Each structure stands twice: as structure tokens, then as C-alpha cells.
Amino acid sequence: MDPGLEETNFYDPENFTYPFGTHVAVVEVDPGTGDIEIERYVAVDDCGEIINPLIVEGQVHGGIAQGIAAALYEGAAHDEHARLQTRRMDEYAVPHATMLPDYETDTTVTPSPHNPLGVKGVGESATIAAAPTVVSAVVDALEPFGVDHLDMPITPMAVWRATGGGR
Amino acid sequence: MYAPEFEYRRAESVEHALELLAAHEDARPIAGAHGLLPRLRTGEESASVLVDIGHLDGLTGIDERDDTIRIGALTTHAEIAGSDPVREHAGAMADAASELGDPQVRNGATIGGNLAHGDARADLPAAFLALDGELVVRGVDGDRTVPATDLFKGHFRTVVAPHELITEVRLPIEDESTSAYVKRRNPLSGYALVGVSACLGFAVTDDDARTVETARVAVTGATTKPSRLPGVEAALAGMTVDGEAGRLDETDRLTGAAARATEGFEADDYRADSQTSPEYLAHLLPVYTEQALHRAVEGYRRSR
Ligand SMILES: Cc1cc2nc3c(=O)[nH]c(=O)nc-3n(C[C@H](O)[C@H](O)[C@H](O)COP(=O)(O)OP(=O)(O)OC[C@H]3O[C@@H](n4cnc5c(N)ncnc54)[C@H](O)[C@@H]3O)c2cc1C
């Protein structure tokens, strides 16, 4: 047996707190083509004490992109035999950087009282916020057309239909 | 996905390429390989021998001669987008080349490959149709020319045979004319969901007004093959777009002409995908036709 010093420790917090935040989107919708333009996207997230701000902001950017993608672009389609119709990258819409807006991000810092560092998670918080933020903004924009619900992804064709196109 | 095995032959000249193509069953030329290789990988196309023509001399460059712009088949989209004579006399082709793909694709893919491929979502076909260009196609028996209106037969189907080579693309230079291409990118692929090109030629009347003498308008992307839009062309003929007529009037008339874009197409003639339907594409077609007409007319005004 090799000599050495080994120690294992587990930390099991007695309680949790969760990250929180508020995202706001301003969208412009063209009922003629169904195009949706995100004019402004503001995100304020709270993940407790921030150890590396660059990583936190990076997580928020990536998360918003993923949330917007779910809201407006990405959708798996199946035919009547339940066969996947969106198997390839030219059949399944993943937005490019050029299709996404600039993000205005900020943070508030509410330390977690349940761990010595005061940290909380930030991994997916922006993803969770972005999809309903964008969907709610589009639905709000289409209120004059009597629209109060739209399924994701809200493609331009979905907007066109919801505003009376094709009827 | 990997492409199945194929033999790779590097041609030493156009004649050598034609010999290799004629000698091997199922041989295909490759130029930039941005069109064919992806389809070999997905198994949508097959070839036992690929004859590389990408490096051959004499098939690149843009030349302006005898009222014609001549573009070598191996000229890249980036070169076309940046060419002054193309921008000046065939604006639609410069627009289409600059709207295509991304910088990497524009620097690798060639005009000959784009037009030979016959992808119904490609950008150049609409401009090629509206500009009324022609191809010089060489086979073992010599050259023939193919007018734009004869080229496209369906999705990935053109009249260029696998053992023939496009050597040159010719675009006529017309006086008092203007052209433009507008594109709605498909968010799935970046290709044209709807691409419309318009080319208008004017007669100058005594009061210095301009009357449309020739009108050629064409669509790509939205339909199963790139096609001219005869209804729009008929509506534009004889229309005055300048002079005493007010701009508002002009807008109304261009809208009216664009509304005829769907004439002659049935639901089956549109290409729908997972995020579109024939009805939606039929709705978008006049919208983008109108944009193309405005862009062409504005370009003409600026150039005078
Ligand atoms: C990521 C990506 C994005 C793209 N986006 C777009 C887009 O937005 N719009 C668009 O229009 N296209 C787009 N393309 C497709 C590409 O621009 C065309 O397919 C391309 O122009 C083909 O040119 P190439 O030189 O690469 O042809 P290749 O792939 O070498 O050949 C294509 C076909 O043409 C034949 N061929 C090639 N040269 C000749 C010739 N001189 N004579 C006879 N036959 C010939 C080949 O045998 C083959 O059948 C994209 C491609 C990629 C990879």
C-alpha cells in the first residue's frame, strides 16, 4: 500500500433557494408575412454570488438563444405514420447568430443563505425564461387579431394563419 | 454520414474531362463540390467516378464583350458578387450571388455548378431566368447553347447531361434596363424560401417618361422548379414608371402586377416543408415579387 493522505467529505445543504430573474422582450410582428422581429431583449437574472461573471453572462446568452429557438424556430415534425420529418440540419431550423437579437443583460445578487459561498445555479435559467417571454410578447402583439394563444414554434406561417391568412 | 466510395480523377483539360466523363458509366464532374458532395453523403445522389474540373484554366473570370457579360463556369459567387460589370449590367445576378449561403460557400461554389445542379431552392436560377441568359455547354461533339428558359426541368433536373460541361454563362447587356433579386431565406437551410428576380427594360418617351418595354420576372425556391411569371410580365408591359405619374400611383400598379405572380401555379407546384404550406408560399410570392419590382425600379432611378 502506497502512503498518502486521503479525505472525503460531503456537503448536504439543509435547504435550497432557486435562481430567479425577469426577462422582457419587445417584438414587432408583420401580419403580411408573419415575420417576427425581436426589437429588444432585456434579461436580469439572479444566481446569488457571482464567482465568474463572464461564465454567468455566457450561460445567459446561450440560454436566451435556446429559448428563442424553441419559441420561434425549432420544431420536430412527424408524418401521419409518426416518422420524423426533420432529421437533418436543413430540415430542422436552428437559428444562426445572425437571426438572434442583441441581449441586454444585468444581474441582481441575492446570496443563498444555505451555503457558505452564497451561490445558486445559472445553467438553464435563461432558457426557462426566454421561451415564454418571446411567446407572450408575440401573443400580446397579436391581441388586436383576437389571438390569445400560439403553440411553439411560432413560425411566420403560424402568425399568418393566426391573423386570418389562408381563410 | 459518409459518402460511399468513389473514384477521384483530376482532369487535365476540358477535353480530358469530357473523355473521362464519357468513358465511365455514372461519372460526374465536380467543380466547387458544395452541391454534389453533400448529396453523395446523404445518399440522395450517387456517382462511381468524380471528375474534378475545379482547377482548370480558362473557365474562370468575367468578361464584357459584344453586349454580353461572359462568366466562366468556374467563377465563384464571391467573384460575381464583387464584379463591377455584373453589378452594373446584371444587378440581379450580383444580388443573387451575394445573398447565397455564407462567405465560405460563396468562395468555393461556382456559377456553373449552381446552374447545372438545378436545385429548386437555389438563388441564381431566378436571376438567370430574369436576365434571359444562356449557357455554353460542351460535349464530346462540340458546343451548344442552352437558353435560360430551357434549362430547368424540375428539382435537381436540368437539360445539362452528366457527361457535358458548362463552360460559360452569358448574360445580355441591355440599354435602359434594370434588374434585381430579392430573397426570403428559409430559416431551415438558408436557401431561398422565396426568391424573385425582376428585369425591366424601358422605352424613353418624348416627355422623358419611362415605359416598360420588356419585363421578365422569375421565381425560385417557392416552386418545384425555377420559373418565369408570365402574368406579372404581361401586367408590367407598357406601364409608365416615371415622368408625371406620381409615386403612389406607381406603387399601386406594381402591387397590381405582383398580385398576378401566382397565375398558372397549382397547389402541387409549390414546395412546402415542415414550416410552410403551398397556401403560405402562394401568399408570399406576390409579396416578394412586389419587393423585387420596387428594388429594380429604384435601382434604375439611382443609375440615371
Ligand atoms: C452550406 C451550404 C449553403 C448553401 N447555400 C446556398 C444558398 O443559399 N443558395 C444557393 O443557391 N445555393 C446554396 N448552396 C449550394 C451551392 O451554392 C450550389 O450547389 C453550388 O453553387 C454548386 O457549385 P459547386 O461548384 O460547388 O458545384 P459542385 O458541387 O461541384 O457540382 C454541382 C453539380 O453541378 C455539376 N457541375 C459542376 N460544375 C459543372 C460544369 N461546369 N458543367 C456541368 N456540370 C457541372 C456537378 O456534376 C453536380 O451535379 C449551399 C451549399 C452549401 C454547402
Side-chain angles (χ1 to χ4, degrees):
Chain A
M1 192 195 191
D2 290 329
L5 191 61
E6 205 172 283
E7 164 73 8
T8 305
N9 215 324
F10 295 96
Y11 173 68
D12 187 7
E14 268 156 32
N15 208 338
F16 298 96
T17 56
Y18 296 92
F20 56 85
T22 299
H23 288 208
V24 180
V26 179
V27 303
E28 189 174 275
V29 183
D30 179 342
T33 56
D35 283 331
I36 297 166
E37 180 84 34
I38 300 177
E39 300 281 327
R40 240 185 121 182
Y41 195 101
V42 183
V44 181
D45 284 276
D46 190 316
C47 62
E49 290 293 350
I50 295 167
I51 295 170
N52 185 333
L54 187 65
I55 286 183
V56 168
E57 191 174 353
Q59 285 298 127
V60 171
H61 278 225
I64 298 171
Q66 218 169 349
I68 293 174
L72 303 183
Y73 296 102
E74 294 184 33
H78 297 83
D79 69 7
E80 67 274 24
H81 304 294
R83 283 180 304 221
L84 187 63
Q85 296 300 292
T86 44
R87 290 160 301 183
R88 301 177 357 179
M89 296 306 280
D90 64 353
E91 294 170 337
Y92 183 88
V94 179
H96 298 185
T98 52
M99 294 149 78
L100 295 165
D102 288 337
Y103 313 130
E104 298 167 48
T105 61
D106 207 346
T107 48
T108 55
V109 179
T110 310
S112 168
H114 301 299
N115 64 62
L117 292 173
V119 295
K120 303 183 285 194
V122 72
E124 288 160 17
S125 47
T127 320
I128 293 163
T133 300
V134 172
V135 171
S136 300
V138 175
V139 169
D140 186 48
L142 296 180
E143 199 254 0
F145 293 90
V147 174
D148 60 10
H149 172 86
L150 286 167
D151 285 329
M152 298 194 297
I154 310 177
T155 61
M157 183 170 75
V159 170
W160 174 71
R161 284 202 173 131
T163 54
R167 265 182 244 145
Chain B
M1 285 182 273
Y2 294 99
E5 296 232 337
F6 53 79
E7 194 186 324
Y8 171 84
R9 300 295 298 271
R10 198 173 149 91
E12 275 145 28
S13 63
V14 172
E15 283 61 41
H16 184 220
L18 290 171
E19 274 167 37
L20 290 169
L21 290 169
H24 296 88
E25 182 91 13
D26 200 18
R28 303 280 294 279
I30 46 162
H34 280 67
L36 185 55
L37 220 52
R39 286 174 58 80
L40 292 179
R41 298 225 300 245
T42 55
E44 288 159 299
E45 287 192 52
S46 64
S48 56
V49 180
L50 293 187
V51 177
D52 192 351
I53 60 166
H55 55 283
L56 293 181
D57 288 336
L59 295 182
T60 49
I62 298 163
D63 195 22
E64 189 186 333
R65 196 158 31 92
D66 306 332
D67 286 337
T68 307
I69 294 184
R70 295 152 199 272
I71 306 176
L74 294 179
T75 309
T76 64
H77 295 85
E79 288 162 334
I80 294 164
S83 153
D84 289 336
V86 177
R87 172 56 61 201
E88 191 184 339
H89 301 295
M93 190 54 85
D95 288 347
S98 63
E99 285 280 332
L100 175 141
D102 53 47
Q104 195 180 346
V105 178
R106 291 195 289 275
N107 278 309
T110 67
I111 185 170
N114 194 304
L115 294 175
H117 209 34
D119 189 331
R121 311 162 301 169
D123 294 295
L124 302 199
F128 187 55
L129 281 168
L131 292 164
D132 205 23
E134 67 178 18
L135 299 178
V136 181
V137 176
R138 190 170 300 172
V140 279
D141 301 329
D143 283 353
R144 65 183 179 117
T145 55
V146 176
T149 40
D150 287 355
L151 178 62
F152 304 106
K153 290 293 156 202
H155 197 25
F156 294 110
R157 288 196 297 123
T158 63
V159 297
V160 180
H163 57 271
E164 289 183 315
L165 287 180
I166 298 172
T167 54
E168 192 173 84
V169 179
R170 293 181 180 163
L171 306 172
I173 298 177
E174 294 166 335
D175 288 340
E176 299 295 336
S177 78
T178 176
S179 69
Y181 172 75
V182 297
K183 169 185 190 179
R184 181 188 180 87
R185 269 176 183 261
N186 191 327
L188 277 58
S189 64
Y191 283 69
L193 182 68
V194 183
V196 180
S197 183
C199 180
L200 304 175
F202 300 101
V204 184
T205 53
D206 292 341
D207 56 352
D208 204 37
R210 299 297 193 274
T211 310
V212 176
E213 202 170 38
T214 54
R216 292 183 302 263
V217 185
V219 59
T220 191
T223 50
T224 50
K225 68 171 187 165
S227 313
R228 292 266 294 266
L229 302 174
V232 183
E233 294 175 357
L236 289 165
M239 181 185 282
T240 305
V241 297
D242 214 343
E244 73 261 44
R247 293 272 168 107
L248 259 181
D249 230 36
E250 174 186 309
T251 300
D252 280 351
R253 280 174 294 144
L254 293 182
T255 307
R260 295 181 58 182
T262 54
E263 270 177 29
F265 293 124
E266 308 285 329
D268 281 357
D269 297 325
Y270 294 98
R271 305 170 26 82
D273 59 30
S274 65
Q275 299 195 344
T276 54
S277 67
E279 297 73 28
Y280 180 57
L281 292 173
H283 166 73
L284 289 179
L285 180 52
V287 174
Y288 285 85
T289 303
E290 187 176 339
Q291 283 186 22
L293 295 176
H294 275 291
R295 187 176 159 88
V297 171
E298 287 308 323
Y300 181 66
R301 275 209 183 93
R302 271 199 311 275
S303 73
R304 279 172 55 202

